[in-house]
Amino acid sequence: MKNLIEFLDLGLQPLANNYQKKSQKKKKEKKYKLKILFDKKSKLVSIKDTFSSKMMFNNKYPYRSSMSSTMLSSFKKLSNEIKKIYKPKKILEIGSNDGSFLRNFSKDITIGIEPCSNIEKITKKKGYDTYAEYWGKKLAKKLVKKYQNVDLIYSANTITHIKNLDHVFRSILLILSKNGKLIIEDPSLLNCLKNNTYDQFYNEHIYVFSLIALENVISKYNLQVFKVQNLEVHGGSTRYFIKRKSSKIKIENSVKQQRNKEIKFGLDKIKTYKSFSKRVINNKKKLIKIFNILKAKDKKIIGYGATAKSTTILNYCNIKNDYISYFLDTTKDKQNKLLPGTKIPIVKYQGGIPKKIDFVFLGAWNFKKEIFKKEKKFILNGGKFIIHTPVPKII
Ligand code: JHZ
């Protein structure tokens, strides 16, 4: 514990994906401290107070990865690369959500793990082998019995959501073949710090990985990163290709390049995190100022994309329904509900931003390109967006 240094306090926050029913508008919601830690020894960044997987990932989980065409094409591109380069006989996906990745492969070579049964059943109904269970040793052993070892494991935005990394990697070792590859991707800590995207921190993101921290974590399981890809998705993600140390797969230059970039930026030093924290506090003041100016002018503001990330920003900055009238979102399970903490209503996206709206707070800023393309008409008519990264501004 003595290695852990707290560098950021994001105040009291509700559970990010716990969208409230309209009938709960007046009900006091439980909030928890959101503080962020840096481990001086392993360089791992994590949140201080955590919740059980069951509390966060259950049969009411709303998030669907297929809601963005950017994500669908990113999964497709990776799938084509996997088919061409690695030609796996069996692929296991940990955290397969609604099957957006798995659906690029034939049913007989895939296994999906998705503990949120309301989402898991979407892929199951399409005929894929999926298990509504939490990743762990018990499940890994069951799968080995049924399918034997797998030669490729993929996991996007999931490993960082599981507190016990020791259990995660030891379970992976039970099923990954000798020369198997483990590909994991998550938002990049380097991008988070560079772009001041403090909203990457919420209860589900127990860790935000850097390569240097991940290498420290996996080394004790005799695992090694052999290739790194930087992606634009989710505001800048890093995809790590991992192998057993004993496997002869060549270690590519991209690993050294990424390590050097991270060291150059100072991801191994606490002072980097302390100055990030100062920027976050400044950005909070700037964002509140923007909202106050627009409110004083009686401008009509709505939100776009009721993301888990929005919950962190708006609760931290105390921006509620008196500033943002409602959020538009394409996700069925979020519509007609309230954004956690701030209780801003979420309305079904019906194509286009209504004419009378002056400003749109971009909750899904990570899909800015995709959204701007879709909302050309609003922009051409003089509509503006409010974005909080890298500094709060109107665009
Ligand atoms: P999006 C979730 O975070 C939770 P969130 C989780 N913890 C995680 O790590 C990431 O995903 C991967 C909507 N939308 O992807 C759909 C539109 O309405 O940024 C979504 O509700 N119109 C697992 O919630 C939200 O925005 C659009 O055109 O921060 C996007 O959520 C588009 C593109 C999206 O993840």
Side-chain angles (χ1 to χ4, degrees):
M1 286 296 157
K2 65 179 189 314
N3 290 317
L4 295 176
I5 306 174
E6 188 186 307
F7 64 90
L8 182 62
D9 183 351
L10 292 168
L12 289 175
Q13 297 276 352
L15 295 185
N17 263 310
N18 191 17
Y19 296 83
Q20 306 281 297
K21 287 193 191 120
K22 277 184 176 165
S23 57
Q24 291 169 305
K25 181 132 187 149
K26 293 222 159 63
K27 204 176 153 212
K28 203 162 184 270
E29 219 175 320
K30 264 200 178 165
K31 291 195 181 168
Y32 311 88
K33 286 179 192 152
L34 182 59
K35 294 186 178 184
I36 322 299
L37 307 172
F38 172 67
D39 186 326
K40 265 197 307 185
K41 197 163 172 235
S42 70
K43 319 298 177 198
L44 188 61
V45 166
S46 62
I47 60 171
K48 192 172 177 185
D49 297 304
T50 55
F51 303 89
S52 69
S53 296
K54 275 193 187 130
M55 208 166 154
M56 301 188 286
F57 309 110
N58 45 48
N59 60 2
K60 291 188 181 61
Y61 195 67
Y63 178 74
R64 304 244 176 121
S65 43
S66 64
M67 285 299 114
S68 144
S69 59
T70 311
M71 285 315 292
L72 292 176
S73 62
S74 173
F75 287 139
K76 191 167 184 89
K77 197 170 160 214
L78 173 66
S79 306
N80 289 340
E81 200 179 315
I82 288 175
K83 283 176 199 166
K84 202 171 142 199
I85 304 177
Y86 304 118
K87 304 179 179 69
K89 289 193 194 75
K90 203 85 186 163
I91 303 173
L92 168 72
E93 186 181 14
I94 304 173
S96 49
N97 197 271
D98 60 5
S100 304
F101 167 76
L102 281 187
R103 277 185 257 152
N104 292 299
F105 296 91
S106 72
K107 291 170 186 148
D108 52 328
I109 70 157
T110 61
I111 313 162
I113 311 298
E114 176 48 63
C116 306
S117 55
N118 59 323
I119 295 185
E120 176 262 355
K121 70 179 180 212
I122 301 170
T123 329
K124 184 168 259 162
K125 264 191 193 155
K126 292 197 161 72
Y128 283 84
D129 266 9
T130 52
Y131 295 81
E133 290 181 48
Y134 295 100
W135 177 244
K137 283 185 196 160
K138 209 170 133 204
L139 178 60
K141 282 181 191 161
K142 181 165 100 179
L143 296 178
V144 171
K145 256 193 193 161
K146 186 161 178 199
Y147 305 95
Q148 298 178 331
N149 287 340
V150 300
D151 45 0
L152 197 136
I153 300 178
Y154 176 60
S155 188
N157 302 302
T158 302
I159 303 293
T160 51
H161 296 53
I162 311 173
K163 186 171 182 183
N164 192 341
L165 291 178
D166 186 64
H167 193 67
V168 166
F169 288 108
R170 287 194 194 282
S171 309
I172 285 172
L173 291 180
L174 290 175
I175 191 163
L176 187 69
S177 68
K178 258 187 172 170
N179 278 311
K181 288 108 202 150
L182 162 67
I183 305 174
I184 63 177
E185 81 182 56
D186 286 280
S188 124
L189 183 65
L190 185 61
N191 281 301
C192 169
L193 264 67
K194 271 187 179 168
N195 300 323
N196 304 321
T197 48
Y198 59 89
D199 51 334
Q200 290 293 6
F201 296 110
Y202 52 91
N203 62 292
E204 289 178 15
H205 286 184
I206 296 172
Y207 305 99
V208 178
F209 283 159
S210 61
L211 168 69
I212 45 179
L214 185 65
E215 285 187 315
N216 288 333
V217 170
I218 63 174
S219 176
K220 53 174 177 290
Y221 311 106
N222 285 319
L223 292 169
Q224 194 170 31
V225 178
F226 68 91
K227 177 171 157 178
V228 168
Q229 282 176 349
N230 284 304
L231 315 168
E232 275 189 26
V233 300
H234 289 302
S237 297
T238 307
R239 186 177 282 154
Y240 307 94
F241 294 71
I242 297 167
K243 67 176 187 76
R244 291 180 188 267
K245 280 184 188 164
S246 55
S247 156
K248 297 215 163 48
I249 303 167
K250 186 178 161 266
I251 299 188
E252 299 189 12
N253 251 341
S254 54
V255 182
K256 199 173 163 192
Q257 280 164 1
Q258 180 72 15
R259 205 183 292 125
N260 288 344
K261 255 199 276 178
E262 293 184 355
I263 304 256
K264 197 169 165 209
F265 189 81
L267 286 191
D268 54 340
K269 295 189 182 68
I270 183 62
K271 69 172 193 217
T272 309
Y273 297 88
K274 290 198 167 152
S275 53
F276 165 69
S277 176
K278 282 187 192 142
R279 296 197 299 278
V280 171
I281 295 167
N282 274 332
N283 277 7
K284 171 182 181 170
K285 289 180 192 151
K286 284 184 186 149
L287 188 66
I288 294 172
K289 196 173 166 192
I290 291 177
F291 272 96
N292 278 334
I293 292 173
L294 298 179
K295 199 183 167 200
K297 291 182 182 164
D298 228 10
K299 298 290 180 194
K300 188 93 181 129
I301 312 170
I302 63 162
Y304 197 114
T307 56
K309 296 183 288 291
S310 304
T311 293
T312 295
I313 305 170
L314 301 179
N315 282 284
Y316 178 56
C317 298
N318 201 23
I319 293 166
K320 295 192 178 138
N321 204 188
D322 46 349
Y323 289 89
I324 297 177
S325 310
Y326 59 87
F327 261 86
L328 288 176
D329 201 287
T330 50
T331 318
K332 205 167 152 256
D333 288 341
K334 294 184 184 179
Q335 292 159 0
N336 298 318
K337 295 217 172 119
L338 307 168
L339 199 77
T342 58
K343 310 231 171 161
I344 301 172
I346 302 165
V347 171
K348 183 180 177 183
Y349 175 80
Q350 288 180 319
I353 297 164
K355 263 193 185 150
K356 53 181 186 288
I357 302 303
D358 306 304
F359 291 88
V360 173
F361 171 70
L362 202 52
W365 54 268
N366 43 316
F367 296 122
K368 189 173 119 197
K369 263 194 204 158
E370 180 179 339
I371 293 170
F372 277 23
K373 214 168 154 190
K374 217 156 68 172
E375 305 306 338
K376 249 191 201 143
K377 209 168 153 197
F378 171 73
I379 297 169
L380 286 173
N381 286 334
K384 298 278 182 207
F385 287 89
I386 306 165
I387 193 163
H388 84 298
T389 164
V391 281
K393 59 179 176 234
I394 291 170
I395 46 174

